[in-house]
Amino acid sequence: MYRLKNWHLEMTTNGFIAWGYCYDNPEFFQGDYIRTSDIVKLEAEDNENEMRLFTTSGSCYILGYADINEIGLEVTEKVLKSRDIAFDLHKCVALREDRVEGIKKKLFQVLKPNELYVTMAGWIGILEAYFKTEENTIVPISVKAHIGTF
Protein backbone atom coordinates (compact mmCIF):
# COMPACT_ATOMS: atom_id res chain seq x y z
CA MET A 1 0.00 0.00 0.00
CA TYR A 2 1.08 3.52 -0.77
CA ARG A 3 0.37 6.72 1.12
CA LEU A 4 -0.89 10.13 -0.05
CA LYS A 5 -0.31 13.25 2.03
CA ASN A 6 -1.90 16.66 1.55
CA TRP A 7 -4.57 14.88 -0.48
CA HIS A 8 -7.93 15.74 -1.92
CA LEU A 9 -10.48 14.07 -4.19
CA GLU A 10 -11.69 15.39 -7.52
CA MET A 11 -14.45 14.48 -9.97
CA THR A 12 -13.60 13.23 -13.45
CA THR A 13 -15.77 12.28 -16.39
CA ASN A 14 -15.38 8.61 -15.41
CA GLY A 15 -15.76 8.95 -11.64
CA PHE A 16 -13.26 10.40 -9.22
CA ILE A 17 -9.53 10.49 -8.49
CA ALA A 18 -7.20 11.58 -5.71
CA TRP A 19 -4.38 14.11 -5.80
CA GLY A 20 -1.57 14.25 -3.25
CA TYR A 21 2.08 13.78 -2.38
CA CYS A 22 2.86 10.09 -2.85
CA TYR A 23 5.04 7.97 -0.56
CA ASP A 24 6.19 4.34 -0.65
CA ASN A 25 5.22 3.78 -4.31
CA PRO A 26 8.23 2.51 -6.32
CA GLU A 27 6.78 4.14 -9.46
CA PHE A 28 7.47 7.62 -8.04
CA PHE A 29 10.08 9.48 -6.04
CA GLN A 30 9.15 9.93 -2.39
CA GLY A 31 6.91 12.99 -2.16
CA ASP A 32 6.06 13.30 -5.86
CA TYR A 33 2.75 15.11 -6.37
CA ILE A 34 0.53 12.70 -8.29
CA ARG A 35 -2.94 12.12 -9.65
CA THR A 36 -4.23 8.59 -9.14
CA SER A 37 -6.06 6.63 -11.76
CA ASP A 38 -9.84 6.42 -11.31
CA ILE A 39 -10.95 5.17 -7.93
CA VAL A 40 -13.04 2.00 -7.97
CA LYS A 41 -13.44 1.53 -4.22
CA LEU A 42 -13.09 3.63 -1.10
CA GLU A 43 -13.02 2.20 2.43
CA ALA A 44 -13.15 4.50 5.46
CA GLU A 45 -11.25 3.14 8.46
CA ASP A 46 -12.62 5.44 11.16
CA ASN A 47 -10.88 3.55 13.99
CA GLU A 48 -7.53 4.19 12.30
CA ASN A 49 -8.45 7.73 11.11
CA GLU A 50 -7.67 6.92 7.52
CA MET A 51 -9.24 5.65 4.35
CA ARG A 52 -8.08 3.32 1.64
CA LEU A 53 -8.55 4.00 -2.05
CA PHE A 54 -8.38 1.30 -4.67
CA THR A 55 -7.74 2.42 -8.24
CA THR A 56 -8.36 0.98 -11.69
CA SER A 57 -4.61 0.40 -12.03
CA GLY A 58 -4.73 -1.91 -9.00
CA SER A 59 -3.03 0.46 -6.55
CA CYS A 60 -4.14 0.94 -2.97
CA TYR A 61 -3.50 4.29 -1.32
CA ILE A 62 -3.85 5.14 2.35
CA LEU A 63 -5.10 8.66 3.07
CA GLY A 64 -4.74 9.81 6.66
CA TYR A 65 -7.63 11.96 7.82
CA ALA A 66 -5.20 14.47 9.35
CA ASP A 67 -3.36 14.76 6.01
CA ILE A 68 -6.31 16.18 4.05
CA ASN A 69 -5.58 19.30 2.02
CA GLU A 70 -7.52 22.16 3.56
CA ILE A 71 -7.91 23.88 0.19
CA GLY A 72 -9.43 20.72 -1.32
CA LEU A 73 -12.02 20.18 1.41
CA GLU A 74 -15.00 21.52 -0.52
CA VAL A 75 -14.33 19.57 -3.69
CA THR A 76 -13.65 16.42 -1.65
CA GLU A 77 -16.96 16.86 0.14
CA LYS A 78 -18.78 17.28 -3.20
CA VAL A 79 -17.18 14.10 -4.58
CA LEU A 80 -18.18 12.05 -1.55
CA LYS A 81 -21.74 13.41 -1.51
CA SER A 82 -22.16 12.77 -5.24
CA ARG A 83 -21.20 9.13 -4.63
CA ASP A 84 -23.44 8.82 -1.54
CA ILE A 85 -20.40 8.01 0.57
CA ALA A 86 -20.96 8.78 4.24
CA PHE A 87 -17.78 10.38 5.51
CA ASP A 88 -17.07 12.78 8.36
CA LEU A 89 -14.98 15.59 6.88
CA HIS A 90 -15.35 17.50 10.15
CA LYS A 91 -13.30 14.75 11.80
CA CYS A 92 -10.61 15.22 9.14
CA VAL A 93 -10.55 18.96 9.78
CA ALA A 94 -10.33 18.46 13.56
CA LEU A 95 -7.51 15.92 13.21
CA ARG A 96 -5.67 18.20 10.79
CA GLU A 97 -6.01 21.12 13.20
CA ASP A 98 -4.67 18.95 16.05
CA ARG A 99 -1.71 17.91 13.87
CA VAL A 100 -0.97 21.53 12.93
CA GLU A 101 -1.21 22.66 16.57
CA GLY A 102 1.27 19.94 17.56
CA ILE A 103 3.70 21.09 14.87
CA LYS A 104 3.31 24.72 15.94
CA LYS A 105 4.11 23.82 19.57
CA LYS A 106 7.29 22.00 18.53
CA LEU A 107 8.34 24.82 16.20
CA PHE A 108 7.76 27.46 18.87
CA GLN A 109 10.62 25.86 20.82
CA VAL A 110 12.96 25.61 17.83
CA LEU A 111 12.44 28.68 15.64
CA LYS A 112 13.64 32.19 16.34
CA PRO A 113 11.54 35.21 15.32
CA ASN A 114 11.47 35.76 11.53
CA GLU A 115 12.53 32.18 10.77
CA LEU A 116 10.74 29.90 8.35
CA TYR A 117 10.24 26.13 8.60
CA VAL A 118 9.48 24.22 5.38
CA THR A 119 8.67 20.53 4.91
CA MET A 120 9.75 19.44 1.47
CA ALA A 121 7.93 16.81 -0.58
CA GLY A 122 9.86 15.14 -3.34
CA TRP A 123 12.49 17.11 -5.17
CA ILE A 124 10.46 20.25 -5.87
CA GLY A 125 7.31 20.17 -3.77
CA ILE A 126 6.60 21.92 -0.52
CA LEU A 127 4.29 19.99 1.78
CA GLU A 128 3.84 22.75 4.36
CA ALA A 129 5.54 25.84 5.80
CA TYR A 130 5.42 27.78 9.06
CA PHE A 131 6.80 31.19 10.02
CA LYS A 132 7.64 32.56 13.48
CA THR A 133 6.67 36.22 13.68
CA GLU A 134 8.39 38.95 15.69
CA GLU A 135 5.51 38.61 18.15
CA ASN A 136 6.61 34.98 18.74
CA THR A 137 3.60 33.31 17.14
CA ILE A 138 3.85 30.44 14.68
CA VAL A 139 1.82 31.04 11.52
CA PRO A 140 1.11 28.41 8.83
CA ILE A 141 2.12 29.75 5.42
CA SER A 142 0.32 28.82 2.22
CA VAL A 143 2.87 27.90 -0.41
CA LYS A 144 2.31 27.59 -4.13
CA ALA A 145 5.31 26.25 -6.03
CA HIS A 146 5.78 27.19 -9.68
CA ILE A 147 8.02 25.40 -12.13
CA GLY A 148 8.84 26.78 -15.51
CA THR A 149 9.11 30.21 -16.97
CA PHE A 150 7.30 33.29 -15.77
Side-chain angles (χ1 to χ4, degrees), residues 16-75:
F16 64 109
I17 59 167
W19 289 88
Y21 292 101
C22 183
Y23 293 88
D24 304 324
N25 186 334
E27 298 287 321
F28 304 103
F29 291 110
Q30 293 285 65
D32 272 356
Y33 192 73
I34 67 160
R35 166 199 190 276
T36 67
S37 55
D38 288 333
I39 296 167
V40 294
K41 184 178 177 185
L42 181 134
E43 295 176 349
E45 301 285 340
D46 285 335
N47 294 340
E48 298 175 28
N49 293 325
E50 64 187 25
M51 70 173 122
R52 289 183 171 84
L53 301 180
F54 299 89
T55 66
T56 55
S57 68
S59 297
C60 175
Y61 291 92
I62 297 173
L63 285 63
Y65 290 179
D67 293 325
I68 194 166
N69 179 318
E70 63 185 316
I71 296 171
L73 279 172
E74 286 183 35
V75 70

Side-chain angles (χ1 to χ4, degrees), residues 114-139:
N114 297 315
E115 285 188 338
L116 179 68
Y117 174 84
V118 177
T119 303
M120 298 299 294
W123 56 283
I124 56 167
I126 297 173
L127 191 57
E128 58 191 348
Y130 298 87
F131 181 75
K132 189 170 189 179
T133 66
E134 287 186 16
E135 293 80 25
N136 281 326
T137 57
I138 303 294
V139 179

Side-chain angles (χ1 to χ4, degrees), residues 96-130:
R96 179 177 173 75
E97 288 173 359
D98 288 348
R99 185 181 69 75
V100 168
E101 285 304 313
I103 291 169
K104 287 166 64 174
K105 285 179 183 176
K106 288 179 186 176
L107 292 177
F108 185 81
Q109 303 298 320
V110 177
L111 293 180
K112 296 175 186 158
N114 297 315
E115 285 188 338
L116 179 68
Y117 174 84
V118 177
T119 303
M120 298 299 294
W123 56 283
I124 56 167
I126 297 173
L127 191 57
E128 58 191 348
Y130 298 87

